[in-house]
Amino acid sequence: MTTDFTGSFTQQEPIPPAAIAAATAVMQHGRLHRYNTAGDEVAETVLLEQEFAAATGAQYCLAVASGGYAMTTALRACGVGHGDKVLTNAFTLAPVPGAIAAVGAVPVFVGTTADLVIDFDDLQAKIGQARVLLLSHMRGHICDMARLMAICDAAGVTVIEDCAHTMGATWDGIASGRWGRFGCYSTQTYKHINSGEGGLLVSDDAQAMARAIMLSGSYMLYHTHRAAPPPEIFADIRYDTPNISGRMDNLRAAILRPQLADLPAQAARWNARYAVLQDGLADTPGLYLPQRDRREGFVASSFQFLLLDWTPEAITEVLARCAARGVELKWFGRSDPVGFTSRYDSWRYAPSTPMPATDRVLAGIIDMRLPLTFTLDDCALIARIIRAEVSAVFQAQK
Ligand SMILES: *Cc1c(COP(=O)(O)O)cnc(C)c1O
């Protein structure tokens, strides 16, 4: 019996047959652009927007080209522009500060706790510096949203949610993305539904969503949208808003609709894998598992643990030993950015001052993807490998 893992951490499941059939139908009729419809046909993109609005409980939804585009559009629709400051998480990925920089604004980084949610004390201390918070639910960890909204509402700060890792998730029964003015989602291959690239934006704010629709490049065809504010809302907005094209096409929407219908079932499969890892790693000496509130209805498409206060050499040793056994772990604390992982101080275009408490957490975060191509047995094996290698290095350190 082998004790090494041989699966791939980057291999997602194939596109389901219903999605392939829907995509083939779009390619056969050739009307891929969302505004290219025949007769009374309703575009796949329009249907996806209606279904996603229903799934999240939002009034309005807009399908766009990427999660990053969803965020820049939300920022613009909230009036963020050149030189404005925008609060955001220090623990996030490059597209988040990148979206802020894209509109000419400047990120103000807010720290993270060891449970991988935004640090409320640091947020409170910095809240006066900006009018908008782009809150990243990084790796699917959701903070106490009622408390967050209370802090932001009291300070007059608008919240935009980056839900790239929380599509299908909830806080206290309310969908992630429905607490702030906008929720921004990604349908990129590594997220919860897969169209290669793509994004979705939800809101209940009619004016802001009308601006977002015009921004996305709807020309004067906004009336063909169904999960959109009524045409009269566009009266002035259609003249005042620039077209910054970033629409989603019907091919991607066709691929996504069957996957969206499957999302609750897929979320349960992710969480079953997470539970096996969680059990397998519980009480491992030297290893901290982020705690989750029972109000958090998460979708665990990835797994994190912390090696808090370990030396870089010891962490490097754990990673090397796990890698030798087929378990690919990412380390946020690495001094130089690699692959998808980087730290706030590696985004040199954005000014930052050191945050010692956050640096301590970031230095210890170990991250891994949890693709649904892993079986529950795979997850148990991965947990045994990590447990053994962390324990061996931890013992040797003493
Ligand atoms: C992937 C990702 C995004 C943006 O998604 P794209 O569709 O790749 O632009 C935003 N935030 C986080 C945290 C992400 O991981």
Side-chain angles (χ1 to χ4, degrees), residues 310-349:
W310 284 49
T311 64
E313 294 73 23
I315 293 181
T316 306
E317 171 80 8
V318 168
L319 298 188
R321 293 172 71 133
C322 288
R325 299 184 62 187
V327 175
E328 238 180 84
L329 302 172
K330 306 277 183 256
W331 178 29
F332 270 85
R334 196 184 289 280
S335 49
D336 212 36
V338 227
F340 287 105
T341 315
S342 57
R343 241 176 20 191
Y344 72 93
D345 51 0
S346 46
W347 304 315
R348 292 188 196 159
Y349 58 84

Side-chain angles (χ1 to χ4, degrees), residues 214-239:
M214 292 309 297
L215 284 163
S216 76
S218 69
Y219 302 94
M220 294 298 154
L221 298 163
Y222 50 82
H223 56 87
T224 63
H225 290 233
R226 293 189 169 189
E232 57 272 21
I233 301 288
F234 291 80
D236 291 324
I237 289 172
R238 65 186 181 145
Y239 296 112

Side-chain angles (χ1 to χ4, degrees), residues 66-69 71 92-93 95-96 136 138-139 162 164-165 186-188 191 197-198:
S66 72
Y69 185 86
M71 292 187 288
T92 187
L93 290 175
V96 179
S136 187
M138 178 62 174
R139 289 297 185 248
D162 164 26
H165 304 164
S186 170
T187 64
Q188 194 228 79
K191 312 298 162 88
E197 304 285 356

Side-chain angles (χ1 to χ4, degrees), residues 55-56 137 140-143 145 161 166-179 293-299:
T56 52
H137 302 296
H141 297 271
I142 307 174
C143 69
M145 288 305 295
E161 296 178 65
T166 54
M167 185 188 287
T170 54
W171 175 268
D172 214 3
I174 296 173
S176 181
R178 298 287 299 118
W179 291 81
D293 189 285
R294 71 188 157 69
R295 288 167 292 182
E296 188 187 4
F298 57 85
V299 178

Side-chain angles (χ1 to χ4, degrees), residues 120-198:
F120 285 132
D121 294 334
D122 198 33
L123 177 64
Q124 191 72 70
K126 292 172 177 164
I127 196 90
Q129 295 186 35
R131 287 187 310 108
V132 172
L133 164 66
L134 178 53
L135 175 70
S136 187
H137 302 296
M138 178 62 174
R139 289 297 185 248
H141 297 271
I142 307 174
C143 69
D144 179 338
M145 288 305 295
R147 190 163 161 212
L148 179 112
M149 292 310 299
I151 294 172
C152 291
D153 287 345
V157 166
T158 298
V159 177
I160 297 171
E161 296 178 65
D162 164 26
C163 305
H165 304 164
T166 54
M167 185 188 287
T170 54
W171 175 268
D172 214 3
I174 296 173
S176 181
R178 298 287 299 118
W179 291 81
R181 181 168 303 172
F182 276 108
C184 308
Y185 307 79
S186 170
T187 64
Q188 194 228 79
T189 296
Y190 299 111
K191 312 298 162 88
H192 296 177
I193 56 178
N194 173 12
S195 59
E197 304 285 356

Side-chain angles (χ1 to χ4, degrees), residues 235-265:
D236 291 324
I237 289 172
R238 65 186 181 145
Y239 296 112
D240 296 339
T241 313
N243 175 326
I244 305 176
S245 290
R247 295 169 301 270
M248 184 186 282
D249 57 87
N250 288 329
L251 186 54
R252 289 198 172 94
I255 294 175
L256 291 171
R257 291 179 58 216
Q259 295 183 62
L260 179 61
D262 278 348
L263 182 57

